[in-house]
Each structure stands twice: as structure tokens, then as C-alpha cells.
Amino acid sequence: MALLSSRWLLPIDRPPIHGGWIDVADGRIRRLGQGAPPGPAEDLGDVAILPGLVNAHTHLELSWMAGHVPPAGSLVDWIRDVLRVRAAGPAGGSAAAREAAFAAARTLRATGTVLVGDVSNELTTPAAIEAAGLAGVVFHELIGFNAADPVLVVREALDRIAAVRLAHPDRLGLTLAPHAPYSVAPGLFAEIARHVPDGPLAVHLAESAEEVEFLRTGTGPFRRLLEDLGVWHGGWQARGEDPVAFLDRVGCLRAGLVAVHGVHLGDAALARLVRLGAIVVACPRSNVWVGAGLPRLSHWYAEGLAVAIGTDSLASSPTLNLFDELAEMRRLAPDVSAACLLESATRVGAEALGFGWDYGTLAPGKVAALTAVEVPPAVTDVEEYLVGGVPIAAIRPLHGPEAS
């Protein structure tokens, strides 16, 4: 049992509490309040206690590529570089790749993240996530533009998930995910959707102008990439549709959709996602790195889109520190309130991953996965301070899911 007091508490679902306290027992929040604590408490001083952050999209499996994939002028150019580096580097299960994933997961926890949406092609990352004391979802991502037998591809993927599930903790979910419209056959999309009828369904969507062009016309840089890789399927036909309409046609436009990136979502597609209640994961630093452009963050929030936040991988982002991503979002969207940005990094991210009942806010009964951030005494707007670029030395994990 622990009773903590601090200068600030940020419940997220209500305004910050100045001079607050929080009572934790058996890994759960019992109660919280303002003023004098209801018993002997550990005073943390000039810190803000907030729910641990949620990195809703990353690829820990690619952590070994840090420093090996330079910024690119377009997403297709970046993909070509990744394929080149991957061909020359260690396999996902190698000792070097494994240690890089473990180190990256530890960095996530050390910088305030408690919940992660990790995309894995080889299912090598659950052990790293568990060792770091994180909770979350591992999305077993499938790629196959020329998949001859989608039923077999999905059956084999489900067998791999079942084998990993035997060893994973209860707080770690495993599920299927299609990569993107330009890399997954419509039949494989539909088969994945059939086996993920509810819960989070993550897909890279509308990340680049080249993707939009490909779906509309069947031509452009992605067509040439598929041909160069020898996986182009002559039976694939462009239907002049936007990425959201494509998802609808292949059975993936549904509640629980987690659309990653969304940089090139048009207004009509955006409106459909808002009506659906889908969540879009913003990763603006990665979007710049891969040459995809910048998301229309201010417009998204103004239109009522549910926005979560991810860092993407160390192959396309300088850090996995979600406070760094928040600072970039504050720079890009100065008109969006700090409270909304913090909600995106906590409550909305937890809901995107299907963990909203346990994470994302400070409330009685929720997991005490807490993060403390030192706040200079002169700060009066704590929310604005937290999205303005927090020094890494000021971040301190408190309790976590390993205590639950």
C-alpha cells in the first residue's frame, strides 16, 4: 500500500488537481483527492503524477535499424532503404536484434510509457515488452500483396500467435493486423478481418500521397515497387477509391479500427472515420522522416477525430519518448489545447488498444501505472509544461502493471 502526495495530479478526465494525493494498494488506485492526505504519505514534492503514457504505434522489432535508415524524400524511397538494410542486417531473432528490442522496451518504460501497441512481423517482441514491465497489444502484421491462399496465410499466423500466447502475460494481447492497402491483397485483408471481429484492428492507412495514387489509379511508385519486388498481381484492379473506401470494401471499416498515420486522409474519408468512432494514431516525427508529409492535426481535432499518439520505430524516428512526440504535436498544432494532447497520449491511446477500462486516467479501480514528472516551481500551467518538451531526466516511472 502507498499513499503519495505531490504538487500536481493529472486525472486526465478532469482538470489537474493542485496539491493532490493518490492512494495505491495491490497495484490499483484506491482513491485520490486534494488537500491533506488521509494518512501518512510520501511527499514527492514538485512533481506531476499522471497516468502512464500510451505509445499506440511502434515497431520494437526494427529497433536494431536505429541510425541505419536515413530520412527519405518519399515513403517508397524509405521502404526501399529499409528492405536494403534488412537484407544486409541481422534477422529479427538474432541476438543483436533481440537486445535492441529489449533496450527499446526499457526506454519506453523509462520515459513514462506503460502501454504499447507494437507491430511485429516475426513475433519476437512479446518477451521484451514483458521484461520491461509494459502492457499492451502485439499486432502480428501480415504482408502479402500476391497471397495465393489467404486462408492458409491467416491459419499459419494464428498458429504462431497461439504458440506465443502460451508464454505471454495476461496483460499482453496478441492479434492479427494487415500492413497496408499497397502491401496486402484484398482477399487477405478480408480473411484477417474475419478472424478479428472485434477489438483493435490496426492498419497503416493514408500514410503517403503515393498510397492514395495507387488506390485511385493502380499506377505510380508503389506499382513500380511491387513490380521490382516481383509480387505484382495482374488481377489487382484499382477502383478509384480513397483508403477508407478501400477498407470498407475489404471488410475492415468497423468499430475498433486503429488507423495509423492518416497523413493524406481527405475530408470525406476523415468524416467517415469520425462517424465510425475510429481512432487515428498520429506519428508526425516519423511522417517527416519517411517523406510522407505532416498530418493535419489541428483539423483532426477540430473535426472531432479521436487521436492517439505513436512514435513509430527507431528506423523512422529519433526516439521512442512519447513526451518528445507530444512536443512535436504541440509545435504543429498550437491551437489544440494541452489537455487534448495529453488525453491523446493517455486515455485515447488506452481505448485504441482495448485497455480503456484499466489505463489512461487516474480513477479508483484502475491499474496504478503511473508516471511522475518533475515540474519547475514557477510553472502554473502544468498541462502546457508537459507538452512543451520535458527533459528526460525529469521523467520517473512510479508504479506499473507489474505490480497488478
Side-chain angles (χ1 to χ4, degrees):
M1 180 173 176
L3 188 58
L4 306 172
S5 63
S6 65
R7 184 177 167 209
W8 296 101
L9 286 184
L10 275 79
I12 299 299
D13 57 354
R14 50 192 165 118
I17 299 172
H18 186 264
W21 54 267
I22 187 165
D23 185 9
V24 173
D26 299 321
R28 298 270 172 177
I29 298 170
R30 292 181 60 197
R31 50 188 175 160
L32 64 157
Q34 186 174 30
E42 178 184 359
D43 185 1
L44 301 183
D46 285 328
V47 306
I49 298 175
L50 64 155
L53 305 184
V54 183
N55 190 332
H57 179 75
T58 189
H59 299 250
L60 294 176
E61 210 165 73
L62 303 184
S63 297
W64 67 271
M65 292 188 182
H68 294 288
V69 186
S74 74
L75 180 61
V76 172
D77 289 342
W78 180 83
I79 291 172
R80 289 183 184 274
D81 282 340
V82 167
L83 294 175
R84 173 183 52 79
V85 171
R86 176 175 275 165
S94 72
R98 182 178 184 275
E99 179 48 42
F102 272 71
R106 290 193 297 269
T107 297
L108 284 173
R109 188 66 188 99
T111 53
T113 290
V114 299
L115 195 62
V116 61
D118 181 55
V119 176
S120 175
N121 299 112
E122 301 180 25
L123 287 182
T124 59
T125 55
I129 294 168
E130 178 183 10
L134 297 165
V137 177
V138 174
F139 294 99
H140 185 20
E141 181 181 79
L142 302 184
I143 296 175
F145 187 82
N146 196 3
D149 189 345
V151 173
L152 178 61
V153 171
V154 168
R155 183 187 308 131
E156 291 176 343
L158 291 172
D159 287 344
R160 291 191 293 272
I161 286 176
V164 173
R165 185 172 281 127
L166 293 175
H168 88 83
D170 289 342
R171 65 176 181 268
L172 188 62
L174 291 113
T175 189
L176 296 173
H179 174 248
Y182 55 81
S183 61
V184 176
L188 183 52
F189 259 105
E191 186 65 13
I192 292 169
R194 192 170 72 84
H195 286 274
V196 188
D198 51 28
L201 179 64
V203 58
H204 297 76
L205 191 73
E207 184 176 4
S208 69
E210 294 90 345
E211 175 189 328
V212 176
E213 177 187 12
F214 179 70
L215 291 177
R216 188 178 68 250
T217 69
T219 62
F222 271 120
R223 169 70 176 265
R224 292 191 291 274
L225 176 64
L226 293 167
E227 290 174 338
D228 290 346
L229 294 174
V231 296
W232 171 252
H233 190 292
W236 192 93
Q237 295 292 324
R239 305 204 180 185
E241 57 200 355
D242 65 39
V244 172
F246 172 85
L247 287 191
D248 191 11
R249 179 165 61 86
V250 297
C252 290
L253 191 63
R254 61 161 179 79
L257 176 65
V258 181
V260 181
H261 298 304
V263 176
H264 293 274
L265 286 170
D267 287 346
L270 178 65
R272 292 188 74 178
L273 294 182
V274 172
R275 290 194 298 270
L276 180 68
I279 294 175
V280 173
V281 184
C283 311
R285 292 185 300 157
S286 174
N287 299 147
V288 171
W289 190 288
V290 305
L294 286 169
R296 298 187 295 164
L297 294 175
S298 295
H299 184 63
W300 287 0
Y301 284 96
E303 293 299 308
L305 183 66
V307 180
I309 305 176
T311 59
D312 217 319
S313 77
L314 288 173
S316 66
S317 184
T319 74
L320 300 183
N321 184 344
L322 211 67
F323 282 107
D324 292 344
E325 206 73 39
L326 275 168
E328 177 66 0
M329 291 181 69
R330 158 47 78 238
R331 186 185 72 81
L332 295 172
D335 54 327
V336 176
S337 73
C340 283
L341 295 177
L342 288 169
E343 187 178 29
S344 288
T346 52
R347 186 190 65 78
V348 180
E351 291 183 356
L353 299 181
F355 280 76
W357 72 91
D358 257 349
Y359 291 83
T361 64
L362 301 183
K366 290 203 170 184
V367 173
L370 313 175
T371 292
V373 178
E374 295 177 12
V375 179
V379 168
T380 56
D381 188 337
V382 64
E383 293 173 315
E384 196 61 49
Y385 175 77
L386 290 172
V387 302
V390 172
I392 192 169
I395 305 167
R396 175 157 54 104
L398 291 177
H399 301 271
E402 66 275 6
S404 62

